[in-house]
Amino acid sequence: MARPKMLKLSEVLQEIDMSRAAFYRMRARGQAPRLQKLPNGHLRVSRADLDAWWERCGQRAVA
């Protein structure tokens, strides 16, 4: 079974077209995709978590 794709924070920020500061503000409000911290301190976001976050954003925009 293939491992889930893990994206670097820089890749996520580029995909969602957001600054690091804005992302961290969203994260502080509990509105950002879930981050996973690696033992070396780097942050990653799973593709599945990012896709689920996008879906929730779309649902909030319609509601």
Side-chain angles (χ1 to χ4, degrees), residues 55-63:
E55 182 66 28
R56 288 190 306 273
C57 287
Q59 290 171 358
R60 281 194 297 256
V62 173

Side-chain angles (χ1 to χ4, degrees), residues 41-52:
H42 294 183
L43 299 173
R44 297 290 186 269
V45 177
S46 76
R47 169 51 64 188
D49 286 342
L50 183 59
D51 290 344

Side-chain angles (χ1 to χ4, degrees), residues 13-61:
L13 294 174
Q14 183 177 6
E15 184 172 327
I16 65 176
D17 192 26
M18 183 178 288
S19 72
R20 186 176 296 267
F23 182 86
Y24 278 109
R25 284 192 301 271
M26 284 183 60
R27 184 174 181 227
R29 292 189 306 260
Q31 298 174 335
R34 187 176 65 187
L35 294 174
Q36 296 179 9
K37 191 171 190 177
L38 301 178
N40 63 4
H42 294 183
L43 299 173
R44 297 290 186 269
V45 177
S46 76
R47 169 51 64 188
D49 286 342
L50 183 59
D51 290 344
W53 177 79
W54 270 122
E55 182 66 28
R56 288 190 306 273
C57 287
Q59 290 171 358
R60 281 194 297 256

Side-chain angles (χ1 to χ4, degrees), residues 1-5:
M1 178 162 70
R3 294 181 54 188
K5 173 72 175 164

